[in-house]
Amino acid sequence: MSNIQSILHETRVFNPSDDFVKQANVSGMAGYRAMCDAAAKDYAGFWANLARETILWHKPFTRSLDESKAPFYKWFEDGELNVSYNCLDKHLGTQPEKTAIIFEADDGKVTKVSYRELHARVCQFANGLKSRGIKKGDRVIVYMPMSVEAVIAMQACARIGAIHSVVFGGFSSKSLHERITDAQAVAVITSDGQFRGGKAMALKPAVDEALGLGGCDAVHTVVVYRRTGGEVQWNSKNNIWWHDLVAGQGSSCEPEWVGAEHPLFILYTSGSTGKPKGVQHSTGGYLLGAMLSMKWVFDYKASDIFWCTADVGWITGHSYVAYGPLAMGATQVVFEGVPTYPDAGRFWKMIQDHKVTTFYTAPTAIRSLIKLGGDLPKQYDLSSLRLLGSVGEPINPEAWMWYYTVVGQSRCPIVDTWWQTETGCHMIAPLPGAMPIKPGTCTLPLPGIMATIVNEAGDEVFDQHGGFLVIKKPFPSQIRTIWGDPERYKKGYFPEEMKGAYLAGDSAHRDEDGYFWIMGRIDDVLNVSGHRLGTMEIESALVANPLVAEAAVVGKPHEIKGEAVVAFVVLKGARPTDAATAKKLAEELRNWVGKEIGPIAKPDEIRFGENLPKTRSGKIMRRLLRAVAKGEEITQDVSTLENPAILEQLKEVVR
Ligand code: PRX
């Protein structure tokens, strides 16, 4: 870690206003510290009290944390509950007519759904799933565009105890196939297509292709929601329209009461090997994390209009679209389209139109909107905003300052939230009525989250050099296992050197106030536009191409995306020497990766070499490649390279 130095030295500090502090769910540092102290004093009791206060239990639990089979932790295990009941039924007595979802379509059309309607529609769809024989524990893939129906599909699975696995609509049929087979899913819920940026795009063909790749025999049902009205290939053996499935179904459905440890969902994410891992989350602990972070970090109030721009295909869309806001009884915005259509003022117009109070998005979106129209927010009335959030990647201080001053008009605190697919909810983030904030740091751990920084030996370090970010104690919302691969879970997240702590996979350091600064991944995982991509995954995709002999993928800093994908490729045939051939081949390989994984994984740059730089033992020298990708001077010892001339080749960018 010694090479990691803080390049940031941020001195700007912003205190929450007195008005914000007064109304906050957690006020002042004293309020925050008191909760941290309570957690330190009686850890299991702290969480048990919160779980009792926050969740409606069908059967109360008697045990809080069970560490007997560490690191396979259990929380509230003998309690029974249903997440959908906690998100919907709970509000029927108190606020049935409150709007749960304000759906804005790509074309601007707005549909509002009340809690009463949402409950009825979830029940109908749940009954529909049951009519197809889908039951507790079955895995159901959701491959849908952003829509009310996507939320309904997830909630309906939760209602009947089926385990959903949402696959982002931007993933290819191959990626979808990998997830269907790994999860051994029995059903796929999809749509004919989706609208984005004024264009209709088909989605169903990817499902047909995936199922055609074999190994999906368990899939007996494909539910198709009609969104675009485009033509679809119909397989009458297992296809059924959404509207046909729900026709005649009753609008009430008794929730399936499940144990707190029953898996609520699996969500695939990239790791350091070629195979994505199915992160398995629990029911009770996950719900608790989603709700507490809504209350603490988003300072949720019943009068809020909450908008998280993430797609339900990612963990952010699970915790802060499909579950957290509904469990709190919030009114939230769900958006089908893209931030740049019809122009780069779309987000700001929507904040104005829907009087959004809490806005949560990714730094990559902020950076691209600054570039496309840094003055645009000024054309809209953003006075409804009271809190801003950032997620998914480090936010650079310049983007932070713009977000703070131009969007938030220096009035709204920014919560820079650090967390992961595996953690289920925010881990390190400001409680906005308590902590002074600084651009670029996610500040301090949530109460009860024992996050710290350690060296290679697992010993805590407090200096500015930093080390590995770990969480010392198990917490309710954490990953339970990797679906079908408990060994990978154990080895990957709880390596022996870490002395039982959860290894997050990020490096970080602390400043003089103890604030955490995230520096980036320590493994071969890239963060491209806030999307997590494994370099090995992209490499496997490249070498699956018949033209490719070998490939190495690294990241390099990118102004908008945070990180860009650079692929070094050795072809089976001769290295292209003329620019036109190289360009054609690079384009072909980019599209290939788009088909293998999805457009988000397409390399930004492809460089061809006759070989790759390797150590004597045959390991690719990735550090060297990262330097080459960045265009840095090579200061490392390259005397062991078989063929130093290849470095010159690899410096050549295909344009
Ligand atoms: O590297 C960290 C980065 O995103 C990773 C987790 O990615 P994923 O599981 O896809 O979840 C993203 C949404 C929670 C982390 O290991 N990351 C996430 N949030 C931040 C961040 N890096 C810096 N600052 C953040 N606020």
Side-chain angles (χ1 to χ4, degrees), residues 558-573:
H558 186 278
E559 201 193 340
I560 305 284
K561 298 172 164 195
E563 239 178 336
V565 179
V566 181
F568 296 91
V569 171
V570 181
L571 295 174
K572 282 182 187 154

Side-chain angles (χ1 to χ4, degrees), residues 315-316 391-394 416-421 506 518 521 527 532:
I315 189 69
T316 311
V391 60
E393 42 179 329
D416 175 357
T417 59
W418 178 86
W419 58 298
Q420 309 176 293
T421 305
D506 280 339
I518 307 297
R521 299 286 306 190
N527 194 327
R532 196 163 141 179

Side-chain angles (χ1 to χ4, degrees), residues 30 161 191 475-476 640 642:
S191 72
F475 48 94
T640 55
E642 269 173 59

Side-chain angles (χ1 to χ4, degrees), residues 3 19 25 74 89 223 231 259 279 390 400 475 618 621:
N3 64 328
D19 286 347
N25 292 338
K74 290 176 180 161
D89 307 53
V223 184
E231 238 178 75
V279 172
S390 171
W400 195 102
F475 48 94
M621 297 169 79

